[in-house]
Amino acid sequence: MIIMDFLKNPLTTITLTFLVFWGATALQRRTRVAVLNPMVITIAVLIAFLKLTGISFEEYYAGGRIIEFWLKPAIVALALPLYNELSHIRSQFLTLFLTELAGCVVGIVSVVLIASWLGASPEVVRSLAPKSVSTPIAIEISRQIGGIPALSSAIVVIVGMIGAMAGLKTMEIGHIKSPVSKSLSMGTAAHVMGTNRISAFGDRYGAYATLGLILNGILTAFLAGPIVDWLM
């Protein structure tokens, strides 16, 4: 009983979360294996921990709220490298915007066509459309276009993890070497997780990934509904 009370303590759960993530980050740096993504490993370990101990998600989340509180200022902090690159972004904004527009449209069209071809229901197809934006935006878009918000939320996490693990390797295979191209692609396709992954390479990478994240979120909010309606 005493042990269970200790494990359920919010301080214990938040400490465990940080320790697992720190260990997973150190493991990836040492091995340089993209599949060993720190976020994926942390999620897997925490799920196993909750299952083995019988602790409910609600009990774990009592500590998780502390982490969630710091997410908002952490996201705001992404604006700093973006501000530092502002002069370069202004000078090529039209090119960047058109690139983002193409990426957004291709992302929505491809997932809608593939899901429809595989026989997904209209609700599922609409839920998949906002797959590459951050979770709060995806949930609202899904709700507005007739999707299933909970499904959209889960898909966003999966897409982000896949992008963070395989995005850079995919671009390497495609011989994409430009830091701007890599960063925009990661931010556009894998939202916050992709941005976090490539930001480790430097502030410039983080700035353009953040730009991709922001622009894709705005464009998807405007285009997802009309594109889905047109294709279906």
Side-chain angles (χ1 to χ4, degrees):
M1 187 66 179
I2 296 177
I3 295 177
M4 284 303 298
D5 289 340
F6 171 76
L7 293 176
K8 292 179 181 180
N9 188 293
L11 183 59
T12 301
T13 56
I14 192 173
T15 301
L16 175 65
T17 302
F18 279 118
L19 287 177
V20 173
F21 186 78
W22 175 80
T25 302
L27 177 64
Q28 187 183 56
R29 287 176 179 172
R30 180 177 294 272
T31 61
R32 298 186 180 277
V33 177
V35 177
L36 298 177
N37 183 273
M39 191 167 294
V40 176
I41 293 177
T42 302
I43 292 173
V45 171
L46 290 177
I47 289 175
F49 169 76
L50 296 181
K51 286 291 186 180
L52 290 173
T53 59
I55 296 175
S56 67
F57 176 77
E58 288 71 22
E59 291 171 322
Y60 164 79
Y61 190 62
R65 286 194 182 92
I66 302 174
I67 300 177
E68 184 181 30
F69 172 80
W70 289 106
L71 284 178
K72 294 178 182 178
I75 292 174
V76 172
L78 290 173
L80 180 59
L82 190 63
Y83 176 79
N84 292 335
E85 291 287 334
L86 193 57
S87 60
H88 295 96
I89 292 172
R90 282 176 176 171
S91 66
Q92 51 187 334
F93 183 77
L94 180 59
T95 301
L96 295 173
F97 178 79
L98 292 176
T99 301
E100 278 299 317
L101 178 61
C104 175
V105 172
V106 170
I108 297 172
V109 170
S110 61
V111 74
V112 169
L113 292 180
I114 292 173
S116 299
W117 178 65
L118 292 174
S121 67
E123 291 79 11
V124 171
V125 173
R126 292 176 181 276
S127 303
L128 294 174
K131 62 179 176 55
S132 294
V133 299
S134 58
T135 303
I137 299 176
I139 290 174
E140 189 58 35
I141 292 174
S142 180
R143 184 179 291 113
Q144 293 295 326
I145 66 176
I148 306 169
L151 177 59
S152 298
S153 177
I155 293 298
V156 165
V157 174
I158 293 171
V159 168
M161 290 192 296
I162 293 174
M165 290 188 293
L168 293 177
K169 186 63 178 179
T170 301
M171 286 186 281
E172 182 182 327
I173 294 173
H175 302 289
I176 298 173
K177 299 180 180 180
S178 167
V180 174
S181 298
K182 288 183 176 180
S183 304
L184 281 175
S185 298
M186 291 293 281
T188 301
H191 51 85
V192 176
M193 293 187 188
T195 300
N196 178 66
R197 174 74 177 90
I198 202 165
S199 293
F201 291 88
D203 287 347
R204 191 181 187 199
Y205 287 88
Y208 283 96
T210 301
L211 179 65
L213 166 71
I214 294 171
L215 288 179
N216 191 51
I218 296 172
L219 289 171
T220 301
F222 281 102
L223 299 177
I227 290 177
V228 172
D229 290 338
W230 175 59
L231 292 175
M232 297 182 65

